[in-house]
């Protein structure tokens, strides 16, 4: 049995992956089967969040029995000999337009096999970072500000921006033009709110009010910052039309996928400063790439300024999350379970072995969701929606997001696709609507009886309305996966783990889930599942760190 046949019989490939292999076979029937299988796996790797496919670790991608995996070195030689595979030097452009696959890697290693587009995204990210970091102006360069929740990342940024304005004025220069942005609308709102609060504290300490007034207090999504073009994946700002800013500050950088990071760095002007803020212990982006971790791994290879904040300030006086978050981040299941069981952490509640909070805590949860339908003002309803969220690790099964949302809607007694009080989650980007994967909205009935879907607007308190039938692909958002909750915070979080182990479980998922809480977090699940999750890393195949590390 050939490798491609074995993968097909194991249902390991998507239709799209198999179609890529078959198209190469039709174009050249002499293409070796192992090359066709590798092409399908490179496509599958992107769908699973990787930049490419590691020939030395195929079981990481497909954990199925009886797959006749070839020797990694022999596999590489087959690929190097194929007309479909380009093998350029690191950072080199590809001259052959007919090679849909690219093979790269460290010397002596089998390497990563990329779909050509994603290799080019990696190359563009690294080239863009190197260009910005090489700026000789006083303002330019790359800053990395990292740390966990409550470590003061936003306060550090606010002080940096104040200092940049003060330095410009002392030197007789114009005030720097500063942009604040984040991957999602909710993350941009949170960032702007945190910056406003930090600036108020800085002003109270005696800083010149004129300096404070020169700083931005509103944020934008990255898509709005770069300038969406209706019905196009391209942006108005890029290499040929840079952003009109001297400083670009981007929060929640761990959420930025490979294609978007490539477009962002290319849009930053040569003499500008790019500031990336993030928590490297969170889950990587929903789409392909683990860019922030790659940049951090290769930070010694290019002249970036790195600030890593360790001391954790309490997120809220009612929530003492830091000890648990530290244990989870370190993969210390024994300490994590001891802390959960102790009941000594304020705001942290452990429901050991609980598989169905919709049954045991039905009244409490339904009271929140029913209250959403009683708020007529869209801005207030959107704000209220952030008070509680049920998060889960998986999409399917009893603890999966599909089942949970269906049960919640039945408990609310609602029927139909779009009902008054339904929380919505956008699941695909729509540049025409300026709605993007992860945006959260709510359906509300107006005085005329018509239901409209409301989403946060460009400014706080100015939501945008859409006819539900015109929305891009979306789901209910009473329950969400932890991945989709990245960039958001909720007063009360319920983290529901599956009853049995799943490959998606990891310490990064657990950490991301519990750190979405501002005041109260409930963890529902078994000790064995938690222990297994903390043993697993949500690692992804990427060449960004290697490319940056080799850039000097």
């Amino acid at each position: 049995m050939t490798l491609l046949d074995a993968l097909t019989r194991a249902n390991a490939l998507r239709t799209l992956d198999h179609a890529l292999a078959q198209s190469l076979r039709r174009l050249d029937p002499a293409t070796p089967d192992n090359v066709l299988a590798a092409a399908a796996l490179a496509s599958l790797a992107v769908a699973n969040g990787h930049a490419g496919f590691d020939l030395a670790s195929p079981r990481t991608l497909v954990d199925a029995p009886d797959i006749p995996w070839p020797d990694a070195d022999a596999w590489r030689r087959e690929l190097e000999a194929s007309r479909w595979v380009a093998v350029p030097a690191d950072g080199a452009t590809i001259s052959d337009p007919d090679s849909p696959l690219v093979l790269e890697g460290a010397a002596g290693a089998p390497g990563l096999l990329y779909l050509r587009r994603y290799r080019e995204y990696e190359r563009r990210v690294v080239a863009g970072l190197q260009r910005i970091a090489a700026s000789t102006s006083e303002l330019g360069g790359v800053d990395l500000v990292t740390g966990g929740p409550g470590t003061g990342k936003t306060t550090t940024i606010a002080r940096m921006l104040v200092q940049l304005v003060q330095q410009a004025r002392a030197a007789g220069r114009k005030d720097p033009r500063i942009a604040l942005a984040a991957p999602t609308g909710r993350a941009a709102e949170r960032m702007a709110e945190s910056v406003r609060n930090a600036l108020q504290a800085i002003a109270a300490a005696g800083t010149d009010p004129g300096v404070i007034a020169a700083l931005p207090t509103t944020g934008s999504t990255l898509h709005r910052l770069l300038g969406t073009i209706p019905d196009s994946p391209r942006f108005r700002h890029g290499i040929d039309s840079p952003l009109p800013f001297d400083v670009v500050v981007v929060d929640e950088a761990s959420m930025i996928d490979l294609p978007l990071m490539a477009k962002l760095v290319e849009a930053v002007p040569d003499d500008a400063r790019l500031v990336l803020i993030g928590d490297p212990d969170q889950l990587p982006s929903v789409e392909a790439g683990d860019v922030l971790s790659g940049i951090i791994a290769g930070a010694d290879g290019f002249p970036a300024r790195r600030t890593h904040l360790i001391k954790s300030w309490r997120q809220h006086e009612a929530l003492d999350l830091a000890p648990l978050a530290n244990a989870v981040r370190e993969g210390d299941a024994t300490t994590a379970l001891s802390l959960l069981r102790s009941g000594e952490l304020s705001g942290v509640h452990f429901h050991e072995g609980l598989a169905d909070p919709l049954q045991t805590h039905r009244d409490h949860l339904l009271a929140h969701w029913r209250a959403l339908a009683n708020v007529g003002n869209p801005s207030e309803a959107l704000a209220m929606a952030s008070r509680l969220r049920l998060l889960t690790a998986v999409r399917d099964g009893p603890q999966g997001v599909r089942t949970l949302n269906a049960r919640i809607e039945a408990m609310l007694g609602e029927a139909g696709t779009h009902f008054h009080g339904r929380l919505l989650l956008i699941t695909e980007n729509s540049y025409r609507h300026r709605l993007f994967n992860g945006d959260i909205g709510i359906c509300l009935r107006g005085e005329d009886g018509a239901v409209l879907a409301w989403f946060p607007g460009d400014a706080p308190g100015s939501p945008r309305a859409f006819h539900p039938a015109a929305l891009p692909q979306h789901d209910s958002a009473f329950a969400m996966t932890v991945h989709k909750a990245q960039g958001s915070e909720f007063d009360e979080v319920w983290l529901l783990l599956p009853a049995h182990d799943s490959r998606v479980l990891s310490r990064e998922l657990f950490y991301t889930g519990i750190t979405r809480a501002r005041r109260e977090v409930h963890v529902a699940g078994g000790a064995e599942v938690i222990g297994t999750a903390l043993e697993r890393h949500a690692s992804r195949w990427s060449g960004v760190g290697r490319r940056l590390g080799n850039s000097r």
Side-chain angles (χ1 to χ4, degrees):
M1 183 186 301
T2 68
L3 177 56
L4 186 60
D5 287 341
L7 291 169
T8 302
R9 289 193 180 187
N11 293 318
L13 302 176
R14 303 173 302 156
T15 301
L16 183 63
D17 310 325
H18 195 267
L20 172 61
Q22 294 303 323
S23 66
L24 298 181
R25 172 176 280 162
R26 285 194 297 272
L27 290 168
D28 185 354
T31 302
D33 176 82
N34 284 345
V35 172
L36 299 175
L41 291 168
S43 174
L44 177 65
V46 169
N48 288 0
H50 303 284
F53 166 55
D54 188 347
L55 300 174
S57 307
R59 290 176 180 83
T60 301
L61 187 62
V62 177
D63 186 14
D66 303 324
I67 301 294
W69 297 114
D71 173 77
D73 291 329
W75 205 355
R76 179 185 179 101
R77 289 191 292 272
E78 280 190 280
L79 290 164
E80 288 175 330
S82 173
R83 60 177 289 192
W84 305 124
V85 182
V87 191
D90 272 0
T93 56
I94 302 171
S95 58
D96 183 0
D98 296 325
S99 301
L101 304 170
V102 182
L103 182 62
E104 280 190 342
L112 288 182
L113 182 69
Y114 295 88
L115 296 183
R116 176 173 177 154
R117 177 187 301 177
Y118 286 86
R119 186 269 184 179
E120 285 303 292
Y121 284 139
E122 272 198 2
R123 185 187 65 80
R124 289 162 56 186
V125 165
V126 171
L129 290 171
Q130 291 170 334
R131 172 183 57 81
I132 301 165
S135 170
T136 56
S137 70
E138 294 184 14
L139 197 62
V142 176
D143 285 84
L144 303 175
V145 180
T146 58
T151 53
K153 296 189 293 293
T154 305
T155 300
T156 300
I157 294 301
R159 289 172 178 163
M160 175 195 296
L161 298 180
V162 166
Q163 187 177 41
L164 291 177
V165 173
Q166 291 172 331
Q167 290 173 345
R169 292 185 176 186
R173 301 192 305 268
K174 292 181 179 179
D175 290 343
R177 299 165 297 170
I178 301 169
L180 304 179
T184 67
R186 182 58 187 148
E189 289 177 9
R190 280 183 48 224
M191 179 193 190
E193 180 182 6
S194 297
V195 168
R196 288 194 297 269
N197 293 338
L199 291 177
Q200 288 176 1
I202 294 172
T207 299
D208 181 355
V211 171
I212 301 297
L215 297 172
T217 55
T218 59
S220 165
T221 65
L222 283 175
H223 292 86
R224 287 201 300 268
L225 177 74
L226 295 174
T228 57
I229 300 174
D231 301 316
S232 171
R234 298 181 181 275
F235 294 105
R236 292 188 175 89
H237 294 290
I239 292 178
D240 299 327
S241 180
L243 289 164
F245 296 104
D246 304 301
V247 182
V248 178
V249 183
V250 183
D251 199 7
E252 296 288 356
S254 64
M255 296 176 61
I256 305 175
D257 59 41
L258 191 54
L260 186 57
M261 184 66 82
K263 295 167 185 178
L264 169 64
V265 298
E266 288 181 339
V268 175
D270 289 344
D271 56 353
R273 175 176 295 202
L274 174 63
V275 183
L276 298 176
I277 313 167
D279 185 348
D281 295 308
Q282 285 190 29
L283 282 167
S285 60
V286 175
E287 306 298 335
D290 188 0
V291 189
L292 179 63
S293 293
I295 294 172
I296 293 171
D300 292 338
F302 76 116
R305 293 175 288 262
R306 173 86 190 275
T307 302
H308 182 60
L309 303 171
I310 299 174
K311 184 175 180 180
S312 179
W313 307 92
R314 295 179 71 164
Q315 289 178 282
H316 190 276
E317 62 182 11
L319 179 61
D320 184 14
L321 189 59
L324 177 61
N326 290 337
V328 171
R329 183 170 54 240
E330 294 167 5
D332 186 349
T334 300
T335 299
L337 286 167
S338 177
L339 289 168
L340 285 167
R341 288 167 171 159
S342 72
E344 295 176 357
L345 301 180
S346 60
V348 178
H349 309 277
F350 186 32
H351 308 274
E352 188 167 358
L354 177 62
D356 190 3
L358 292 181
Q359 181 179 28
T360 58
H361 295 76
R362 174 190 177 111
D363 292 344
H364 170 69
L365 297 171
L366 285 181
H368 167 73
W369 293 317
R370 284 178 173 145
L372 296 177
N374 295 327
V375 179
N377 183 295
S379 294
E380 292 180 13
L382 288 169
M384 182 181 288
S386 69
R387 293 181 186 172
L388 182 148
R389 198 57 49 93
L390 176 57
L391 303 183
T392 182
V394 294
R395 292 192 59 80
D396 299 307
Q399 289 82 36
V401 69
R402 290 192 177 100
T403 300
L404 293 171
N405 275 317
R407 289 183 61 201
I408 292 166
E409 291 175 4
M411 290 177 180
L412 292 172
E414 297 293 348
T417 305
H418 300 101
F419 56 85
H420 180 69
R422 183 192 181 196
L423 285 176
L424 299 176
L425 173 71
I426 299 297
T427 58
E428 69 173 1
N429 293 336
S430 173
Y431 298 94
R432 179 164 57 91
H433 295 87
R434 290 187 297 119
L435 290 173
F436 302 99
N437 194 346
D439 286 353
I440 296 174
I442 188 168
C443 288
L444 294 175
R445 185 182 298 109
E447 294 181 357
D448 61 356
V451 172
L452 293 176
W454 293 87
F455 287 83
D458 295 340
S462 302
R464 297 180 295 148
F466 299 86
H467 191 285
L471 291 174
Q473 187 173 338
H474 55 277
D475 291 325
S476 288
F478 300 104
M480 294 169 58
T481 62
V482 175
H483 264 101
K484 294 293 188 181
Q486 286 180 270
S488 296
E489 282 186 346
F490 311 97
D491 290 346
E492 179 181 344
V493 164
W494 282 75
L495 176 59
L496 176 60
L497 300 173
H500 305 286
D501 183 35
S502 167
R503 292 181 66 185
V504 304
L505 288 174
S506 66
R507 67 182 66 171
E508 289 83 2
L509 183 140
F510 196 103
Y511 175 86
T512 302
I514 62 174
T515 56
R516 299 309 89 204
R518 284 190 289 250
R519 298 170 181 264
E520 189 174 356
V521 61
H522 296 257
V523 177
E528 184 177 350
V529 168
I530 292 173
T532 303
L534 298 196
E535 291 176 355
R536 185 183 290 125
H537 268 300
S539 58
R540 287 185 174 178
W541 293 320
S542 168
V544 170
R546 175 182 55 81
R547 294 175 197 279
L548 284 171
N550 293 338
S551 62
R552 274 188 173 171

